[in-house]
Amino acid sequence: MGHLVTVATCSLNQWALDWEGNTQRIIESIQKAKAAGARLRVGPELEICGYGCLDHLMEQDLYLHSLEMLRRILLDESCHGILVDIGMPIQHRNQRFNCRVICLNSRILMIRPKMWLANDGNYREMRFFTPWMQPQKVEDYHLPRILQEIQGATHVPFGDAVISTPDTCMGAETCEELFTPAAPHIPMSLDGVEIITNSSGSHFELQKLETRLQLIMEATRKCGGIYLYANQQGCDGDRLYYDGSAMIIVNGNIVAQGSQFSLNDVEVITATVDLEEVRSYRSAISRGMQAASSNAKYQRIQTAFELSSEEDDFDIEKRPSLPIKPRYHTVEEEVALSAGCYLWDYLRRTGVAGYLVPLSGGIDSCATATIVYSMCRIVMDAVQEGNAQVIEDVKRIAKYQGEDVLPSTPQELCNQIFSTIFMGMKAQSSRDTRQRAKDLAAAIGSYHVDLDIDDVYHAQKALVVDALAFEPRFKVHGGTHQENITLQCLQARIRMVTAYEFGQILPTARNRPGGGSLLILGSANVGESLRGYLTKYDCSSADINPIGSIDKADLKRFIAWAETNFALPCLHDFLTAVPTAELEPLTESYVQSDEADMGMTYAELTIFGRLRKENKLGPFGMFQRLVHDWSADRVKGPDDDAPEYTPAQVAEKVKRFFHFYAINRHKMTVLTPALHCNPYSPDDNRFDLRPFLYPPFWKSWSFKKIDWELEKIEKRMAKK
């Protein structure tokens, strides 16, 4: 009996409800796996319909079409001769399940439903599916008529079973199950399962990959075995980017790892593994005693298909794949690559002519524009590599130079699909910000428009003067707070309307063949959204926001990195500029500052955001934590760069944050959809569900508790 086995896993750029496209990518991945000599192929979670179908997973059509696409795969003879693990939703006895379908040569060997469903953060699987609550139990699944003829039977096994071949044993777990305390791979391993597949729909977050890899490697480092991890890759229709990173692990060591960010619709990785290494690794006495005493015994679905062959043992050119070091990207690289790949998927799948960014001369809109340039660099790299799908998409979108004429540089592509617009005010906009916007546009190649909105602003302001016989004034001219805010918001909303006006007409005005329109990109960062430091329906209102869940510190790091790595020296001026909205008139003694307006720094906002969401702290709990973390009397470590405040100052900061968070929460209900990048995003769609009408926090019980706690602390300090 042979002991060398070649296995394959993959990352697929699936798209929710793209039935035929998804199916073709699955078939292509199987063909590539076979071409590489693999005898087992595993694919992503729910790969037939696409993971991000959301409430479509409640529709009967979706289950019918999934079965129809499965039938197409089963009938495709190019998919024969290999054991295939496919992800799809299935209805069984009037319940919906998230399933793995294990197939071989047009036959279904078994269906394995997911047992532990992902149901936190961005995941809502309990809304759509029922978990399989019977470990090691199997029952019959009645096949629909469209599959009975192919199967030659009316029923197949459905439940928590494993596949037994003449040479080894294979089991499957799905995404979330890996991360649970009693993960299925543990009892499977103790029952002699040597190969475990994991099909995931795991989305990107900054620096999340290392955590994921550690958990995956730990699965076989402790238990031994061969672990195949598959994941979706790309934007499949909403705020999430699935970051691939398919991998194969043997006894805790990575032997193959796919890309985290890529424009390849189908990426297959393979490895040759030695079954004897697993058996040797598992020979520890304690492990054997646990296996012998385990009551978790799995039904084995038998097949005569062998994953190994004795011929391979005689082929001295074939050897087991060697361990490799895990590959990780820096935060700066992750921002450039994740947002760049996401924006390209979004653009090519919408069919519009490109993007437009209101470029203010500040670092946030600069970051958005630089991310679009990063996208253009990624696309042109793929064109140079001969990626047929990318070349086809570029020819369809970038048409200014004529049909079938490809741009030759990222700047050329940028000029055709990306427009920037500076919308200034003569009294508010500084010469520096206007010049920074112009310099950046020239450096990346965007089509740039420089204009002033004064005429529109004065015309709109005149409506109030004429109708109410009242002329609002800015604060620096003696106006009240409400007058000042009104005039600032007026400018901001004019800019939003102007951006959409130009987005709709620019391709036609530039004589683009077929005309078309541009998607408007937003530039509000996660801290400003959390604090509500934005005007409702201003330029934060857009079609998509690539930086909406990235904090200011990470954006600055990205810009500093891009200055060097993208050869954009003009970015240095953005890093040294004071963040300002420039919505108030400039005077010799006053220049508007974002952090002064907010009453807190961007670094403090990041801390507030993480404690609120990740640590799940309310006002009182946050004060109790920060009064120690930010104490001026604390013992500081070498990497401690936290601010130093008195207990009274900490109390004021916490109260100010929650006050403004509460009164601005309504803005989150209309926040532009943002690429999800951080675990403390305030996205109101499904990640951060909160009320948007709060009682006044200044009168709240939690603020009173802070006051009482502060009083006790100050009394104790006074006694010292």
Side-chain angles (χ1 to χ4, degrees), residues 112-116 132 135-136 160-162 171-191 193 196-198 219 223 227 296 298:
R112 200 277 190 180
K114 190 172 182 178
M115 301 175 67
W116 308 110
W132 182 253
Q136 296 91 48
D160 188 23
V162 297
E173 64 181 4
T174 306
C175 198
E176 175 76 5
E177 293 174 342
L178 165 68
F179 307 110
T180 57
H185 68 259
I186 297 174
M188 282 186 195
S189 298
L190 292 174
D191 197 33
V193 176
I196 297 172
T197 65
N198 184 300
C223 299
Y227 203 93
Y298 289 82

Side-chain angles (χ1 to χ4, degrees), residues 202-206 241-243 260-261 334 338 676-677:
S202 186
H203 65 75
F204 166 76
E205 278 180 2
L206 290 169
Y241 180 83
Y242 299 91
D243 58 339
Q260 186 178 8
F261 310 106
E334 285 187 333
S338 65
H676 179 84
C677 293

Side-chain angles (χ1 to χ4, degrees), residues 81-310:
I82 183 171
L83 193 61
V84 180
D85 181 348
I86 299 172
M88 63 179 288
I90 284 181
Q91 284 186 311
H92 173 57
R93 300 185 181 178
N94 297 330
Q95 296 178 80
R96 298 184 296 264
F97 293 96
N98 179 347
C99 294
R100 310 302 308 165
V101 181
I102 317 299
C103 311
L104 175 66
N105 298 336
S106 296
R107 302 290 189 273
I108 298 172
L109 297 182
M110 62 167 281
I111 300 172
R112 200 277 190 180
K114 190 172 182 178
M115 301 175 67
W116 308 110
L117 300 177
N119 211 56
D120 58 356
N122 283 300
Y123 295 104
R124 293 288 183 273
E125 290 184 11
M126 291 287 284
R127 180 180 175 94
F128 320 121
F129 298 118
T130 299
W132 182 253
M133 300 301 292
Q134 303 180 71
Q136 296 91 48
K137 301 294 183 183
V138 178
E139 57 193 37
D140 286 336
Y141 170 73
H142 190 91
L143 288 168
R145 286 192 294 268
I146 62 172
L147 297 181
Q148 288 180 14
E149 182 180 350
I150 305 172
Q151 186 76 16
T154 58
H155 294 79
V156 296
F158 184 101
D160 188 23
V162 297
I163 301 293
S164 180
T165 70
D167 49 359
T168 188
C169 188
M170 182 210 111
E173 64 181 4
T174 306
C175 198
E176 175 76 5
E177 293 174 342
L178 165 68
F179 307 110
T180 57
H185 68 259
I186 297 174
M188 282 186 195
S189 298
L190 292 174
D191 197 33
V193 176
E194 295 176 333
I195 300 175
I196 297 172
T197 65
N198 184 300
S199 307
S200 280
S202 186
H203 65 75
F204 166 76
E205 278 180 2
L206 290 169
Q207 300 295 280
K208 174 185 174 183
L209 180 62
E210 184 172 359
T211 301
R212 188 194 303 161
L213 259 65
Q214 291 299 325
L215 288 167
I216 294 171
M217 289 189 290
E218 187 62 29
T220 57
R221 182 175 290 119
K222 182 165 60 176
C223 299
I226 299 158
Y227 203 93
L228 279 69
Y229 174 83
N231 194 18
Q232 195 162 295
Q233 188 170 66
C235 164
D236 82 336
D238 67 357
R239 295 161 169 81
L240 306 181
Y241 180 83
Y242 299 91
D243 58 339
S245 304
M247 65 192 78
I248 300 170
I249 298 97
V250 179
N251 297 337
N253 295 313
I254 296 177
V255 295
Q257 181 182 353
S259 67
Q260 186 178 8
F261 310 106
S262 170
L263 298 188
N264 294 320
D265 283 350
V266 177
E267 181 176 276
V268 176
I269 63 167
T270 61
T272 298
V273 297
D274 190 340
L275 296 174
E276 292 298 323
E277 288 187 12
V278 175
R279 293 156 189 167
S280 175
Y281 190 89
R282 288 179 171 179
S283 63
I285 296 297
S286 58
R287 187 261 173 204
M289 293 179 65
Q290 286 193 340
S293 62
S294 172
N295 294 321
K297 303 300 178 183
Y298 289 82
Q299 178 176 331
R300 280 163 157 72
I301 310 299
Q302 302 292 331
T303 175
F305 184 77
E306 296 180 4
L307 296 187
S308 63
S309 73
E310 291 185 359

